[in-house]
């Protein structure tokens, strides 16, 4: 299986590579459109600031490529947020894959939300054999409100989308690669269970 992690200068992705290796697979880092299109599974990571990340995607033409992909694509953290219509972070237009706008937590709560929190109301094969209310690791100041594409919910100030799905596109606000055995199970489900072509 050919697994490509989209390389657009998105900060620390070594933990994703290690998690995939622990599952018995190899992943390559690439920003080559042909290589990305030829992959069986694509992971779109994200660490950093939205407007800068989108600028990097545009410079390599990946902003137009990603929405056209037909294989399963998993956006993680900022990767998921960039797949939405818009994010308040940096007043940034997103890729429009998920029909929701990303907004900032209010000053009433500690921002960023950092650490472990539960996911519930799980609605996808991405969560096959994953129990309700498992703990996932999160670090974020912005969130996607609940919407038609929500497949997991987390509470912090308000209930929000901790995972989204639209056809072959999936996104997790949490970091599966940093969420222990359960996170690896979710990553394994993405690599092994989900099939679109």
């Amino acid at each position: 299986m050919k697994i490509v992690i989209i390389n657009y200068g998105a900060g620390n992705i070594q933990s994703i590579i290690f998690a995939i290796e622990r599952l018995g697979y190899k992943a390559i880092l690439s920003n080559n459109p042909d290589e990305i299109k030829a992959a069986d599974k694509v992971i779109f990571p994200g660490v950093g600031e939205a407007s800068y990340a989108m600028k990097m995607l545009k410079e390599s033409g990946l902003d137009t490529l990603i929405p056209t992909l037909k294989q399963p694509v998993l956006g993680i953290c900022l990767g998921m947020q960039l797949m939405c219509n818009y994010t308040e972070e940096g007043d940034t237009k997103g890729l429009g894959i998920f029909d929701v706008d990303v907004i900032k937590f209010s000053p009433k709560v500690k921002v960023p939300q950092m650490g472990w929190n539960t996911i519930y109301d799980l609605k996808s094969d991405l969560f096959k054999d994953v129990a309700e209310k498992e703990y996932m690791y999160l670090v974020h100041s912005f969130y996607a409100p609940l919407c038609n594409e929500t497949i997991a919910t987390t509470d912090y100030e308000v209930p929000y989308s901790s995972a989204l799905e639209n056809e072959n596109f999936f996104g997790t606000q949490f970091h599966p690669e940093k969420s222990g055995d359960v996170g690896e199970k979710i990553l394994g489900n993405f690599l092994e269970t989900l099939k679109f072509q």
Side-chain angles (χ1 to χ4, degrees):
M1 176 161 52
K2 186 175 181 194
I3 303 163
V4 171
I5 299 170
I6 295 176
N7 182 12
Y8 64 104
N12 178 21
I13 34 192
Q14 209 55 49
S15 52
I16 301 173
I17 293 170
F18 290 149
I20 289 168
E21 286 174 355
R22 285 195 296 272
L23 290 163
Y25 298 97
K26 281 262 185 283
I28 64 162
L29 270 174
S30 180
N31 62 357
N32 179 309
D34 293 331
E35 229 166 12
I36 294 167
K37 281 191 278 200
D40 299 301
K41 300 282 161 81
V42 175
I43 295 176
F44 177 32
V47 173
E49 194 273 332
S51 61
Y52 177 76
M54 188 55 76
K55 178 173 165 279
M56 301 295 285
L57 288 174
K58 284 180 173 163
E59 281 176 7
S60 50
L62 295 173
D63 61 316
T64 52
L65 172 72
I66 292 167
T68 68
L69 295 173
K70 299 289 181 246
Q71 67 275 68
V73 177
L74 176 64
I76 297 174
C77 196
L78 179 61
M80 181 192 95
Q81 294 186 356
L82 292 174
M83 291 161 79
C84 297
N85 286 332
Y86 167 84
T87 170
E88 286 184 352
E89 185 177 25
D91 189 23
T92 306
K93 185 174 186 297
L95 300 177
I97 293 164
F98 301 127
D99 190 15
V100 63
D101 291 344
V102 173
I103 58 179
K104 189 166 188 176
F105 287 117
S106 86
K108 292 180 201 152
V109 290
K110 187 169 175 287
V111 176
Q113 176 190 4
M114 185 184 280
W116 297 84
N117 203 340
T118 55
I119 57 171
Y120 66 92
D121 205 7
L122 309 177
K123 295 176 182 162
S124 167
D125 283 346
L126 189 63
F127 301 111
K128 186 170 179 275
D129 301 325
V130 174
E132 294 278 326
K133 298 285 181 91
E134 288 282 9
Y135 278 86
M136 295 286 123
Y137 185 75
L138 299 122
V139 183
H140 62 118
S141 305
F142 297 80
Y143 68 94
L146 299 181
C147 63
N148 290 337
E149 294 157 345
T150 303
I151 54 167
T153 302
T154 292
D155 293 340
Y156 192 71
E157 184 180 20
V158 292
Y160 69 85
S161 302
S162 46
L164 296 166
E165 177 181 338
N166 179 12
E167 296 181 348
N168 56 308
F169 292 95
F170 300 82
T172 61
Q173 184 59 65
F174 55 85
H175 286 271
E177 77 282 7
K178 294 179 181 173
S179 297
D181 292 346
V182 182
E184 277 189 25
K185 173 69 187 152
I186 292 167
L187 209 47
N189 284 343
F190 173 71
L191 296 177
E192 290 155 15
T193 306
L194 303 172
K195 293 181 174 60
F196 291 84
Q197 277 301 15

